[in-house]
Amino acid sequence: MGKKLGFSDLDEYLFGEGTHYEIYRLLGAHPTAKGKKKGVYFAVWAPHAASVAVVGEFNGWDEKKHPMQRRKNMGIYELFIPDVKEGSLYKYCITTKKGELLYKADPYANWSEKRPGNASRVADISRFTWGDSVWMNKRQSFDADKDPMSVYEVHPGSWMKHPFTEENKEGFYNYRQFAHALADYVKKMGYTHVELMGIAEHPFDGSWGYQVTGYYAPTSRYGTPGDFKYLVNYLHKNKIGVILDWVPAHFPKDAHGLADFDGTPVYEYADPRKGEHPDWGTKVFDYGKNEVKNFLIANAVFWMEEYHIDGLRVDAVASMLYLDYGREDGQWVPNKYGENKNLEAIEFFRHLNSVVLGKYKGTVMIAEESTAWPMVTGRPEEGGLGFSLKWNMGWMHDFLEYMKLDPYFRKFNHYKMTFSLTYAYSERYVLVLSHDEVVHLKCSMINKMPGEAGEKFENLKAGYTYMFGHPGKKLLFMGQDFGQLQEWSEERELDWYLLAEESHQKLQDFVKELLFLYKKYPALYANDHNPEGFEWINADDADKSIFSFIRKSPTGRNNLLFVCNFTPVERKDYRVGVPKRKQYKLILNSADPRFGGDHERSQQVYKAVKKNWDNREFSFGYELPPLSVSVFLY
């Protein structure tokens, strides 16, 4: 049971200022005691309600039995109800100024009824005993600029399923089973982090968790809040970081949710030109309202504090920054300067990132921002938004457009693979091949590739190697690392049976090799945000569709040379210019038979000679296989 609860005038003041970062400890439903009587303290913010009552299993859902008391200042209603047990279902019955009754789930609930039910559940989330102190202490020194970060993006409900039974009709792994299976896989493959989709409670599976109704509740689809803590704890004990998808951009209109919470727009902008997304049919948070900003910033703090989360990937940032995002003329309202920038959202991001990154050293805030908005990862005091990292959507688009081409046409689109280096240091980037790229008839990664089956695998291995050589952190969506053939669907598990086929197993072996290579050599990560860490050898060989470049480590030791051939033509006498008269050791050949290729290399070490090539004084010759990348250590 928690401590004795209740609002003070100071709590109300801080909430009104938007700076009560632990407001979730007061608002919501909290098991506690009043005198010697155990029960639950309920509190809700409903500033324009005529009255509010708690209804639930414990009072027959009767709105007359437990009316709440309104505090004088902020429109906060509170009530202690004795003898309410953990797990009890409840809602707030709100009587509007017009006399209508609204039955709303608790915005600050820590647990929810499993859909299709939508009531809140009483939970005591204070009882879990953490065992991840080694991870949490080490996290303090994590530096997103200089440390490796390879992220496995996962949707828990469709990663892997049990056979369907009467007891488990949906086949879901619960959080605890998922913890063990996922940790085993991620450790085997060599990823450093997982990014979990759809954890905050949401009513509709098909939204993938991007239309949230329970911001403070891990979804009950896979178990209890304690089960989710077990998942994070177990991943941490296995040295795996945990990032959550987080959605502060919008929320759905479901009757039990935040929309028109007390009969008026409370969480959303009142003007529908600001408060509604025409494309998505959702409501937009009012970033000018302190209590709403407090709800969201405290929510980010909540996941870090209560669940030891290591980072948040913030969804749909562009939709928040631009007042005209997805809107036609006449559908949006300019800011006070007549511009399309949402000044309130800009200030919200600076506040959010300053609080979270200031409070939780070693965590990351990652922006999914799809435009050229400047300084997304810049410091707030210098005019930036303050994110740690930004998804590189431009790189992703160009890379996929290039890789989808018949190799004959790649020479006319050579710039698609080089253009990203012109802006690679304008932000701190994550290179992403996310869930969005393998849905809605976009094809799976393997089926985006041109050619017959064998060529598809060679193309994909070459593409992945180029990605791992390019500056930026890395993210792969589940299934991409073994060549999932079908597009992803939240309704079914990944096609794990494909791993019985040699080509898929060897692709997975290759991605595993890449992931371990990435972590082994600082040249691939420690200079990600330093232009001195990357150097083109030849960026202009468009006719052959060959790219060669160097990744340099901060110490100058163990640098890596990449030679990438994106045509099905073998170059038996390929020569590459090099910076030094050194020995160059082949450490990765994507065409190696152990990865499904057919070009074994007996020679592993190549000595540079004094022969001018690629505008370099030294060079060496090498037999370059078709559709392949070779990586040399020097």
Side-chain angles (χ1 to χ4, degrees):
M1 287 286 171
K3 63 182 181 181
K4 185 177 184 301
L5 289 167
F7 268 83
S8 67
D9 290 345
L10 177 60
D11 290 319
E12 285 192 284
Y13 171 76
L14 292 174
F15 184 49
E17 291 293 301
T19 56
H20 198 317
Y21 305 128
E22 294 189 346
I23 190 68
Y24 59 84
R25 298 188 192 279
L26 293 170
L27 289 169
H30 301 278
T32 185
K34 193 171 184 179
K36 293 186 177 179
K37 200 69 179 169
K38 291 181 178 178
V40 173
Y41 169 80
F42 294 90
V44 65
W45 177 57
H48 306 113
S51 63
V52 183
V54 182
V55 295
E57 293 179 313
F58 41 83
N59 63 16
W61 302 92
D62 184 345
E63 68 271 12
K64 295 183 180 65
K65 287 192 175 173
H66 289 113
M68 303 180 80
Q69 285 90 46
R70 182 182 175 114
R71 291 183 60 83
K72 59 183 183 293
N73 296 325
M74 297 288 304
I76 289 168
Y77 290 80
E78 58 184 348
L79 183 67
F80 173 80
I81 306 179
D83 300 323
V84 175
K85 300 290 189 286
E86 184 168 13
S88 296
L89 293 173
Y90 71 97
K91 281 187 177 182
Y92 296 115
C93 177
I94 296 172
T95 305
T96 71
K97 292 277 176 64
K98 295 178 180 176
E100 299 168 313
L101 297 185
L102 304 177
Y103 291 86
K104 292 287 188 176
D106 186 345
Y108 287 83
N110 293 143
W111 191 13
S112 295
E113 184 180 14
K114 188 176 176 184
R115 56 97 180 95
N118 56 38
S120 301
R121 279 191 193 277
V122 174
D124 183 352
I125 62 170
S126 66
R127 291 198 305 252
F128 187 81
T129 303
W130 290 92
D132 63 347
S133 58
V134 172
W135 171 270
M136 295 297 281
N137 289 333
K138 191 175 180 192
R139 189 181 79 181
Q140 298 269 329
S141 60
F142 177 78
D143 185 341
D145 277 2
K146 296 174 182 173
D147 290 327
M149 191 171 174
S150 51
V151 182
Y152 186 55
E153 187 189 26
V154 189
H155 178 264
S158 59
W159 181 69
M160 193 177 281
K161 293 199 175 191
H162 294 299
F164 298 101
T165 64
E166 273 305 306
E167 297 77 39
N168 189 355
K169 292 182 179 177
E170 295 174 301
F172 289 145
Y173 274 45
N174 67 36
Y175 288 122
R176 290 172 187 260
Q177 296 163 329
F178 182 60
H180 290 260
L182 183 65
D184 288 348
Y185 187 80
V186 169
K187 278 176 72 176
K188 179 186 89 168
M189 291 299 293
Y191 295 98
T192 65
H193 291 70
V194 295
E195 182 177 306
L196 302 177
M197 294 170 60
I199 294 301
E201 192 59 81
H202 53 285
F204 176 51
D205 290 11
S207 80
W208 311 332
Y210 291 110
Q211 295 201 10
V212 176
T213 49
Y215 277 82
Y216 286 83
T219 178
S220 54
R221 287 165 176 79
Y222 320 123
T224 67
D227 294 335
F228 182 66
K229 286 190 175 187
Y230 180 94
L231 165 64
V232 178
N233 191 52
Y234 191 80
L235 289 168
H236 281 175
K237 285 162 81 171
N238 283 276
K239 302 178 182 173
I240 299 163
V242 183
I243 299 164
L244 293 191
D245 268 358
W246 191 60
V247 192
H250 62 127
F251 56 90
K253 296 180 181 178
D254 296 62
H256 70 282
L258 298 177
D260 293 313
F261 187 73
D262 60 7
T264 68
V266 173
Y267 286 90
E268 66 269 44
Y269 284 111
D271 187 332
R273 293 173 298 170
K274 288 180 78 173
E276 302 231 0
H277 268 305
D279 289 351
W280 300 337
T282 52
K283 295 283 192 180
V284 181
F285 283 105
D286 182 346
Y287 308 107
K289 198 178 287 180
N290 285 344
E291 299 89 345
V292 174
K293 286 186 287 189
N294 204 146
F295 171 79
L296 291 169
I297 294 171
N299 184 242
V301 167
F302 166 83
W303 288 111
M304 305 292 187
E305 185 71 33
E306 299 296 329
Y307 288 93
H308 292 196
I309 296 303
D310 303 297
L312 298 176
R313 175 267 192 186
V314 183
D315 183 61
V317 167
S319 75
M320 299 168 65
L321 292 172
Y322 296 96
L323 293 164
D324 58 348
Y325 186 94
R327 297 173 175 89
E328 303 293 330
D329 287 346
Q331 289 185 334
W332 63 281
V333 187
N335 65 26
K336 62 185 178 182
Y337 303 115
E339 300 169 336
N340 67 343
K341 297 175 182 174
N342 188 332
L343 303 176
E344 294 160 346
I346 294 168
E347 191 48 47
F348 164 75
F349 281 131
R350 290 172 178 162
H351 189 173
L352 165 75
N353 291 322
S354 298
V355 169
V356 174
L357 298 175
K359 209 168 159 57
Y360 301 100
K361 196 166 167 50
T363 61
V364 290
M365 296 292 286
I366 306 168
E368 190 240 342
E369 202 285 312
S370 53
T371 74
W373 187 282
M375 295 184 68
V376 171
T377 56
R379 294 157 64 91
E381 56 269 32
E382 295 170 1
L385 297 182
F387 283 95
S388 319
L389 296 159
K390 169 180 167 168
W391 274 23
N392 196 334
M393 314 293 273
W395 170 86
M396 179 185 72
H397 179 267
D398 288 348
F399 172 81
L400 291 176
E401 287 300 307
Y402 181 88
M403 292 304 302
K404 286 191 286 191
L405 290 169
D406 182 295
Y408 175 80
F409 295 104
R410 286 176 176 167
K411 61 187 172 189
F412 307 115
N413 292 268
H414 197 73
Y415 67 94
K416 282 190 163 73
M417 294 291 260
T418 59
F419 179 63
S420 56
L421 268 302
T422 65
Y423 62 84
Y425 305 103
S426 62
E427 300 278 8
R428 290 165 163 77
Y429 282 117
V430 186
L431 305 186
V432 293
L433 294 172
S434 71
H435 66 277
D436 275 327
E437 305 317 305
V438 292
V439 290
H440 302 324
L441 304 180
K442 292 181 187 174
C443 293
S444 64
M445 281 302 299
I446 191 74
N447 280 325
K448 290 182 199 293
M449 300 298 114
E452 300 296 321
E455 288 183 328
K456 286 182 184 294
F457 282 93
E458 297 308 312
N459 267 295
L460 193 53
K461 285 186 292 175
Y464 283 162
T465 314
Y466 184 85
M467 172 187 182
F468 274 74
H470 190 292
K473 307 305 175 194
K474 320 298 175 195
L475 179 144
L476 284 176
F477 181 56
M478 63 183 197
Q480 296 179 1
D481 52 13
F482 65 78
Q484 166 91 4
L485 293 175
Q486 296 186 88
E487 284 193 332
W488 171 62
S489 167
E490 80 284 350
E491 294 180 353
R492 59 173 184 262
E493 73 170 8
L494 297 180
D495 295 337
W496 294 104
Y497 63 85
L498 290 172
L499 286 168
E501 298 180 21
E502 187 179 41
S503 55
H504 292 274
Q505 180 60 66
K506 289 194 168 182
L507 173 62
Q508 187 192 54
D509 291 343
F510 181 73
V511 174
K512 176 181 173 182
E513 186 89 359
L514 272 180
L515 286 160
F516 276 94
L517 193 79
Y518 170 71
K519 288 194 294 188
K520 182 176 180 180
Y521 292 106
L524 292 176
Y525 59 79
N527 264 333
D528 264 348
H529 309 302
N530 181 353
E532 294 177 3
F534 181 93
E535 182 181 342
W536 283 113
I537 295 294
N538 192 340
D540 302 319
D541 195 353
D543 278 349
K544 294 191 181 79
S545 296
I546 294 176
F547 306 81
S548 50
F549 58 86
I550 288 167
R551 291 301 304 276
K552 301 177 188 175
S553 74
T555 62
R557 295 173 57 82
N558 293 334
N559 300 320
L560 299 173
L561 165 68
F562 283 71
V563 184
C564 314
N565 180 8
F566 284 105
T567 67
V569 180
E570 184 176 13
R571 309 288 175 182
K572 286 187 178 293
D573 55 352
Y574 191 76
R575 182 163 286 276
V576 60
V578 291
K580 294 186 176 177
R581 195 171 193 167
K582 295 273 188 180
Q583 289 190 334
Y584 292 78
K585 182 182 179 185
L586 181 65
I587 59 169
L588 184 68
N589 166 26
S590 70
D592 194 300
R594 68 192 176 105
F595 304 127
D598 55 8
H599 282 72
E600 191 150 16
R601 284 281 167 269
S602 53
Q603 185 177 347
Q604 297 298 314
V605 178
Y606 298 81
K607 190 167 185 180
V609 297
K610 191 171 168 59
K611 183 172 184 178
N612 195 288
W613 207 264
D614 293 329
N615 295 315
R616 308 276 170 163
E617 187 179 355
F618 308 109
S619 62
F620 69 87
Y622 170 67
E623 200 174 303
L624 184 60
L627 293 174
S628 73
V629 176
S630 302
V631 184
F632 300 87
L633 175 69
Y634 76 94

